[in-house]
Amino acid sequence: MASDFLNLPTLMLVVSLVNFLNVLFITFAWLRSPRNPALNWWTAAVWMVVVSVALGSLGQFHANLLTGLVAAMMYMASMAFVWLGFRAFFHRKRHLSRALIGPLALVTLYVAIPDTALRNETVLAALCCGVAAYLFAGALQFIQGAEGETLSFSRFGFVIFTGNALTHLAAIPLAHVWPIEMIDARPVSPWLFVVILLLLMHTVATTLLTVVLVAERSHQRLKRLANTDMLTGMKNRRAFVSSVERTLERDLIGGALAIIDLDYFKAVNDNYGHLAGDEVLKAFAQILQAKAGSNVVVGRLGGEEFAFFAREWTAERASLLAEEIRAEFADTAVEFAGRHIRATVSIGLADIPGGFGIDQLSAAADSALYVAKASGRNQICAASPKTLKSMSAELRGSFEDRPQTVRDISAVQAAG
């Protein structure tokens, strides 16, 4: 019974069923997103595979130019389109001409070789080599990925496409040693069943991989939206707090925190409009990100309030960065609707060793910010060590819900 089930006709039936389901799935996805360039290439590819398999099946009963050469050309073109689809998925340039090189090479060989047996063997070898080349190109695409994006499942794509390419290359010596014979209109060879089974597994794996990669990218985008301030592109309050908490409490590494507030920002909105205010916020965010660099965590806490956290820094070191930010923004004129808008910032600083919570650190930095604003604004103030020692987790001033007033003003000293 097992031998009756595990035979080539049964396998070809399974291949046909899988291709049918694959076509339905990809076509349905394309109908929902017809402007998706990757889906455009993939949809064309799966339909080419269906037509190629159909022509190949007809060739078992009546071999001719259409069922032989055209079927081979469409199969190779389908693999090229799959490759171009993944180039589109990873936001790379696509060139249709590159997908046509292989099929045109098959035509050239078919015309150039007069001997039928030699021509068939050569075209088959060229078909396998061409398909393998496109699959290796696809495997390389998974290594390159998209600029600025890391998808963890891409490495499986490299394995799948490389395995598929090697399977096609293995068919060349196998077909030479054990040529395919047609018996009762059926192709027969000792290796054919295994190769077709491997190709079927690669097809299923590629489809599943595509679904997983799309889901992973969607998850990353949702996560990025949930943690990003849409106006400035910086971390929002939640993401910034989470990053600082992880460093202080989980990594047990201390650092310096700066809370930054744009001075008289309400007056900017009232005098110039909210669109102008947005431009001022974006201009400051650009300065903050440029000055902070990649080793300092920056974020917009909401409204006109920003922050940066530098792990293992002291308040004295952070004050140097804060002064660069303050001075450059004070010298910057934001142009909007033909008018030049100037604004300043006040900055409160505090540092703390690892193992302490963010409540103590944020309360101290907020106290320093209060003094900087009460002392005339456009300046930097840093909390004294005495302030940090007196802070506790129960102190008002949680980073998520800070009070409008601060009690212990005397414990804060100016840094400059």
Side-chain angles (χ1 to χ4, degrees), residues 5 36 46 65 67 83 108 155 169 176 189-190 231-232 283 291-292 294-295 303 337 373:
F5 180 76
N36 187 314
V46 295
L65 180 65
T67 59
W83 164 57
T108 303
R155 60 182 181 272
L169 291 178
H176 182 74
S189 186
L231 179 65
T232 63
K291 291 293 183 181
S294 59
N295 294 325
K373 296 173 74 70

Side-chain angles (χ1 to χ4, degrees), residues 175-236:
H176 182 74
V177 176
W178 293 289
I180 300 175
E181 298 180 3
M182 300 300 295
I183 300 178
D184 296 330
R186 295 178 181 178
V188 176
S189 186
W191 54 270
L192 196 57
F193 182 91
V194 176
V195 169
I196 293 178
L197 179 61
L198 289 175
L199 294 180
L200 174 63
M201 294 171 60
H202 290 315
T203 299
V204 174
T206 300
T207 302
L208 293 177
L209 174 69
T210 303
V211 174
V212 172
L213 288 176
V214 170
E216 184 178 9
R217 174 176 285 176
S218 298
H219 174 73
Q220 288 187 2
R221 286 178 175 174
L222 290 174
K223 185 178 179 180
R224 186 164 54 250
L225 288 174
N227 294 305
T228 302
D229 174 63
M230 299 306 296
L231 179 65
T232 63
M234 307 172 71
K235 292 181 183 293
N236 60 17

Side-chain angles (χ1 to χ4, degrees), residues 31-114:
L31 290 174
R32 295 189 61 184
S33 303
R35 296 184 179 180
N36 187 314
L39 279 175
N40 290 338
W41 292 107
W42 291 334
T43 304
V46 295
W47 278 103
M48 284 183 175
V49 170
V50 169
V51 175
S52 175
V53 171
L55 291 174
S57 299
L58 291 176
Q60 298 178 15
F61 305 98
H62 182 65
N64 54 38
L65 180 65
L66 179 65
T67 59
L69 179 61
V70 175
M73 292 173 61
M74 294 195 70
Y75 180 69
M76 182 183 290
S78 70
M79 296 299 103
F81 277 32
V82 170
W83 164 57
L84 292 179
F86 277 103
R87 284 192 65 84
F89 179 80
F90 289 113
H91 311 300
R92 303 283 179 174
K93 293 182 179 180
R94 288 83 64 191
H95 301 284
L96 179 60
S97 58
R98 297 179 181 178
L100 300 179
I101 293 176
L104 291 177
L106 290 183
V107 176
T108 303
L109 291 173
Y110 191 92
V111 173
I113 303 175

